[in-house]
Amino acid sequence: MSAASRAPLRSNRTADRVSDRGRPRVRSRAALAVGAAAAALLVSACSSGGTSGGGGQTGFVTGSDGIATAKQGERADAPELSGKTVDGGRVDVADYRGKVVVLNVWGSWCPPCRAEAKNFEKVYQDVKDQGVQFVGINTRDTSTGPARAFEKDYGVTYPSLYDPTGKLMLRFEKGTLNPQAVPSTLVIDKDGKVAARTLQALSEEKLRKMLAPYLADGSADSAASEK
């Protein structure tokens, strides 16, 4: 075979290699974009404290205790939060409409999450008959094994959605009371709207304080909306 006849074959093989290399790069860029978004969301992950701002168009204010709240008429709808749980069941937060939902974002790898876990279970047992449901979102655990061990070790009985890549967290609108760290805790009111948020591990006392305005007859919630 002459050199001239061999040249097109080398050219085709080179083009094929370029094409083959190009396709994975497209997929990699898409994967990296999702990963970067999740990483940005969790930039302060596993922090024992956090701050957030009010003012502007956010519609919420943050107290000196680190708890941010929104008035009743200025609350954003909670996004669709459903899927498999750590223990293999299924949960849809929308099914709890009419109840106050305490949403806690945690990971078994997170020391502040371990510090607050028993506080959450204790408060949950005290308020679950008062129209309150606790739901966890377990994130960044690469399998459910460590998460199940965490729930067993700390006696957690309420369900937790399994969200290893943080996709559920990314469903919250920017500029609202969205979870931005691990741990984060949100209170969703009886109408399915996000009423309060904190980006820190909670003591039993602070968790009760955060939840108190939304319990029982909601009188405190109504009063807050009139301010």
Side-chain angles (χ1 to χ4, degrees), residues 90-115:
R90 291 195 67 84
V91 159
D92 186 342
V93 171
D95 291 342
Y96 301 123
R97 183 67 63 88
K99 290 187 174 184
V100 175
V101 175
V102 176
L103 193 70
N104 177 243
V105 180
W106 63 277
S108 68
W109 44 269
C110 168
C113 300
R114 294 195 288 270

Side-chain angles (χ1 to χ4, degrees), residues 90-143:
R90 291 195 67 84
V91 159
D92 186 342
V93 171
D95 291 342
Y96 301 123
R97 183 67 63 88
K99 290 187 174 184
V100 175
V101 175
V102 176
L103 193 70
N104 177 243
V105 180
W106 63 277
S108 68
W109 44 269
C110 168
C113 300
R114 294 195 288 270
E116 71 177 3
K118 289 187 177 180
N119 301 330
F120 274 75
E121 179 61 26
K122 187 175 190 307
V123 175
Y124 172 61
Q125 291 299 328
D126 289 345
V127 302
K128 65 180 182 180
D129 295 329
Q130 300 179 44
V132 180
Q133 176 64 50
F134 279 37
V135 177
I137 296 181
N138 170 254
T139 190
R140 293 178 62 189
D141 273 312
T142 56
S143 70

Side-chain angles (χ1 to χ4, degrees), residues 48 65 67 102 104 112-124 134 183 185 198-211:
S48 60
D65 56 5
I67 297 173
V102 176
N104 177 243
C113 300
R114 294 195 288 270
E116 71 177 3
K118 289 187 177 180
N119 301 330
F120 274 75
E121 179 61 26
K122 187 175 190 307
V123 175
Y124 172 61
F134 279 37
T185 299
T198 190
L199 306 176
Q200 59 187 314
L202 293 175
S203 64
E204 180 186 337
E205 179 183 9
K206 188 168 282 190
L207 176 56
R208 291 185 188 277
K209 177 183 177 181
M210 183 179 183
L211 181 58

Side-chain angles (χ1 to χ4, degrees), residues 161-176:
L161 290 160
Y162 180 54
D163 184 32
T165 61
K167 289 181 179 179
L168 294 180
M169 297 172 69
L170 289 170
R171 292 180 181 176
F172 287 82
E173 293 181 30
K174 293 181 180 178
T176 66

Side-chain angles (χ1 to χ4, degrees), residues 53-54 57-63 67-77 175-178 187 189 193-197 210 213-214 220-227:
Q57 299 301 313
T58 57
F60 61 88
V61 293
T62 304
I67 297 173
T69 57
K71 294 180 181 180
Q72 196 165 30
E74 300 177 0
R75 297 170 187 168
D77 291 327
T176 66
L177 292 173
N178 54 343
V187 175
D189 68 20
K193 296 180 181 295
V194 183
R197 178 199 66 185
M210 183 179 183
Y214 314 101
D221 194 21
S222 298
S225 69
E226 295 171 359
K227 293 181 180 178

